[in-house]
Amino acid sequence: IVVGVGKGAREGLLIKDAASLEKLHRVDVIVADKTGTITKGQPELISLVNLSSRPDEEILGILAALEKKSEHPLAKAITAAAHGSLTLPAVTDFEALRGRGLRGRIGGTEYLAGNLALIESAGLKTKPEIIEAETAKGRTPVILATAGEILAIALVADPLKPEAKNAISQLHKMGIKVVMLTGDHRNTARHIADQAGINEVLAEAMPQDKLARIKELQTEGHIVAMAGDG
């Protein structure tokens, strides 16, 4: 045990106590987040589908101003696309909506930016043909809307980590099942899971849904490890 803890430390792995290392030996299911765990966590804005009559620069500026206040990895892709080329408007009354997106006020108008669940909860109709086609390519939609209309759909891609497929293959050889839990769209999640060779996917999941699935696995008698920050 002492040697194992020491070897782990040299590899940058901090093991908090001997009991944790002993329990890890018995793990038969590993649950992982998608963004930043299976994928690189370095997303890139691929395209912006502008559904409004406003200029693309104005729409991107509004979205980037909102996302600048967010800590989510996908926000970095949008702010990076606007960096240096646009002056971002001021945002007030900002609120992060866990597992769904965010809201904020710009110039007297309240905006929403986030996933399908957020937009549908506001009673707005999305563009299913765009969402389905783009998520099938592994892209994540970030939808910008006001209370009355959808303004744009930003499409963000976050590629698989180069080492992910091999790591999951090694886990399978050890008899360990891999489950991916993500708040992302089901098509995007399935695309990444297929690339990585992952057994099971729970998509469009809130943090409490992830916890519930872990508890289910434990109730079934599995020893579960979680990788990621979800």
Side-chain angles (χ1 to χ4, degrees), residues 44-60:
E44 179 183 353
L45 179 63
I46 301 299
S47 63
L48 182 71
V49 181
N50 189 348
L51 303 172
S52 74
S53 58
R54 306 190 201 182
D56 288 355
E57 292 78 10
E58 181 183 347
I59 291 295
L60 180 58

Side-chain angles (χ1 to χ4, degrees), residues 129-153:
E129 66 280 5
I130 296 173
I131 301 291
E132 290 294 321
E134 295 297 334
T135 53
K137 301 173 188 174
R139 295 170 180 175
T140 299
V142 179
I143 306 167
L144 176 67
T146 62
E149 64 174 333
I150 293 175
L151 300 177
I153 303 171

Side-chain angles (χ1 to χ4, degrees), residues 97 100-103 112-123 143:
L97 306 168
R100 294 188 297 160
L102 51 88
R103 68 158 56 95
L112 296 171
N115 60 20
L116 210 54
L118 173 64
I119 301 306
E120 289 177 347
S121 71
I143 306 167

Side-chain angles (χ1 to χ4, degrees), residues 53-89:
S53 58
R54 306 190 201 182
D56 288 355
E57 292 78 10
E58 181 183 347
I59 291 295
L60 180 58
I62 291 168
L63 185 55
L66 294 165
E67 295 289 357
K68 190 176 180 181
K69 291 181 171 289
S70 172
E71 296 178 354
H72 196 280
L74 295 182
K76 296 176 185 176
I78 294 165
T79 55
H83 181 71
S85 60
L86 297 174
T87 301
L88 304 185

